[in-house]
Amino acid sequence: MARKFVGFGEDDLRALAGARSFGRGLGYLDAVSGLEVGDGSVTAVVHGTESYEVELTLGGDDGPSGWCDCPYGQEGNFCKHCVAVGLTVLRRAETIPHQRAAARARASGLEAWLTALSRDELLSLVREQIAEDRRLRRRLELRASAACSDLGAVRDRMIALIDPRPFARYGYVEYADAPGYAQQVAEAAGALRALTADGRAAQAVALAEEAIRVLGEAYEEIDDSDGVVGQAAAAVAEAHLEACGTARPDPERLADWLVGQVLGDSHDVTDLDLLDYAEVLGPSGLARMRQSAAEARRRSPSGWAERYLMERLVKAEGDVDALVALYAQDLDPAGATHLRIAEELESAGRADEALTWAERGIRDCAAEVYIDGRLVDYVCARYAKVGRPADVVGVRRDRFRIERSLAAYQQLRSAAQAAHCWEAERVAALAALREDARREYGRRYGGPVLIDSLLDDGDAEAAWQEAVGLADDRQWEQLADLSRETRPAEALAVYLRLVERMKEPTGDRAYEHVARLLLGARDCHRALGTQEAFAVYLAGLRAELKRRRKLMSILDRYGL
């Protein structure tokens, strides 16, 4: 019934968040406050170690979506806080239609009230808001200056918007203040676009360049961990490009400015791409830029910015051979440059040359432990495409001999299975991993790759034989998970040992882990027919750890 009222259900939330975030969201149901229902969305605050704002759509043809200002949510993920708000909405589903109707009525009432106000009343209202809201006042001042063609005032207001000092309480803009600053930068970008639309594109070009300069100087003193300031600065750069496209500034002067942006000391927060300006620069501008890039390259042959500038220009000219020659001057020891050359050649329809360069990269990097995996994938994909499965196996085998990782083992297995030779390859691969395990190869970061590989194969019996004295706790747990039904007694011993080790750590992650271990132990007792023994053990554990209320809550949720 809940879906009928809000347009989504628990299954939708679980699919959006994933099992882990959905499970963690269950623990935040009591932390949701300030739930406010709008016409098509709800907002709320979720309290934890910090308080986060959440906005959740109520569903539609495309299903529900959510936004949260926590770090995980800022990356575009449907986080545990979104889950908590969604579940809270489902709990109150029957009241949602009434609240949505009330929200529409409020919006309609506000619109009707504003429409009915006289000019003087509207002016009074705006003045009242300006007096209380500094940011609104700045936005309106900028619009007023633009409307009056007062470019000096527009510049002053623009610089005020992108000045970070009002947000820098301790000499720099902290993480919490970055979104507010980013909003003002975005407003400046909007004002630049408005100037261009009003027929003053040339002035917009000049103002955008000054804004980009100020942003570059300020960016190193901003904690922009979520990239919100960078996004707003990119909007300023887009406004500059748009204005250039309309105003058509002197191409050589524009070329000099762009080169200065790439080679300058200030941080290029706008991340300008020279290729975007190719049409505006035209032949003369591109020639001027090529000359400047060549001079810069001679002065600093190993400079990253100088190399990047030359690469982008050569790419803009469409000369594939010149680009390949440029890349070939400084080949990356891990093969990344060989791959770039191959991709450029393939894009130009020169597939045979592309494969030759990629194969050269494999040979040049054959002894390297760390090689760009994309290069190996590229070569293997091309071999597979032309019916050379044995060559795919050969490449994967060679990499496995050097890397000795689970990923390399998995890739060798996939290739050998496709070539119908996995049985022989597996024997040799496991022998090599077994020798590594004896030498404690790679043990610094956990148990041996041998155990991971056997577990990944689903070969629990072989893993049991190799695990004693070698496996780490993570591997023992995986082994127990695979063996609840076939070796319940041995798996039970593993679970109980790991529970003992997890008694000391605290926090949600540790408590969730304890719950998962106990669920495994319960399954083993059921397979052994000793459910009463598990009940006694669990009662004793709960009594021992009863002061950890969050743990008790999590165990209750899992039915333990």
Side-chain angles (χ1 to χ4, degrees), residues 53-262:
E53 294 185 7
V54 174
E55 181 174 1
L56 194 70
T57 64
L58 294 179
D61 294 337
D62 297 327
S65 62
W67 175 89
C68 178
D69 63 355
C70 74
Y72 188 61
Q74 289 284 342
E75 294 175 1
N77 299 297
F78 197 88
C79 65
K80 61 187 178 183
H81 308 110
C82 291
V83 171
V85 173
L87 292 172
T88 301
V89 170
L90 291 175
R91 284 181 169 184
R92 308 177 187 179
E94 293 187 2
T95 68
I96 295 297
H98 173 73
Q99 290 176 287
R100 293 181 70 174
R104 286 194 292 269
R106 289 194 300 271
S108 176
L110 176 60
E111 180 66 22
W113 176 67
L114 289 173
T115 302
L117 291 177
S118 66
R119 177 179 180 278
D120 289 341
E121 289 171 328
L122 281 171
L123 286 173
S124 177
L125 178 62
V126 171
R127 292 187 183 108
E128 177 185 327
Q129 296 303 310
I130 289 173
E132 296 177 357
D133 190 331
R134 176 175 57 86
R135 294 179 183 176
L136 175 62
R137 186 189 74 244
R138 284 187 171 183
R139 291 198 298 270
L140 294 182
E141 286 173 345
L142 182 57
R143 288 194 182 186
S145 299
C148 297
S149 301
D150 186 349
L151 293 177
V154 170
R155 177 196 173 278
D156 292 342
R157 299 297 180 271
M158 186 83 64
I159 297 303
L161 280 174
I162 59 177
D163 182 359
R165 287 177 296 180
F167 295 87
R169 291 177 290 178
Y170 305 103
Y172 62 95
V173 179
E174 293 183 301
Y175 172 82
D177 296 318
Y181 176 62
Q183 182 180 357
Q184 291 197 177
V185 174
E187 291 167 7
L192 289 168
R193 288 192 295 270
L195 279 176
T196 299
D198 288 343
R200 286 171 285 178
Q203 292 86 349
V205 170
L207 287 174
E209 290 176 1
E210 186 166 4
I212 289 170
R213 176 187 61 78
V214 173
L215 285 167
E217 293 171 352
Y219 195 65
E220 290 185 358
E221 302 302 323
I222 299 171
D223 182 354
D224 190 29
S225 300
D226 291 337
V228 291
V229 177
Q231 291 175 3
V236 173
E238 290 170 5
H240 177 262
L241 175 61
E242 180 183 329
C244 287
T246 301
R248 297 288 169 168
D250 177 74
E252 294 189 0
R253 191 211 69 81
L254 177 60
D256 290 341
W257 181 82
L258 289 168
V259 170
Q261 288 301 299
V262 175

Side-chain angles (χ1 to χ4, degrees), residues 28-37 42-48 50-55 81 84-86 88-89 91-92:
Y28 282 83
L29 287 175
D30 296 333
V32 177
S33 68
L35 189 74
E36 183 175 337
V37 179
V42 296
T43 57
V45 175
V46 181
H47 304 277
E50 295 186 32
S51 296
Y52 295 109
E53 294 185 7
V54 174
E55 181 174 1
H81 308 110
V85 173
T88 301
V89 170
R91 284 181 169 184
R92 308 177 187 179

Side-chain angles (χ1 to χ4, degrees), residues 485-512:
E485 297 181 2
T486 57
R487 289 175 174 247
E490 292 94 329
L492 175 60
V494 171
Y495 286 130
L496 296 182
R497 183 174 73 249
L498 295 178
V499 169
E500 286 300 311
R501 294 188 182 184
M502 291 299 299
K503 284 183 179 180
E504 290 300 322
T506 59
D508 285 6
R509 179 176 298 180
Y511 296 155
E512 291 280 351

Side-chain angles (χ1 to χ4, degrees), residues 10 17 81 164 270 279 288 310 327 397 407 419 427 549 552:
E10 277 195 20
H81 308 110
T270 58
E279 195 272 333
R288 177 63 169 262
M310 182 61 77
Y327 286 152
R397 184 194 304 124
V427 170
R549 295 181 180 178
M552 295 298 106

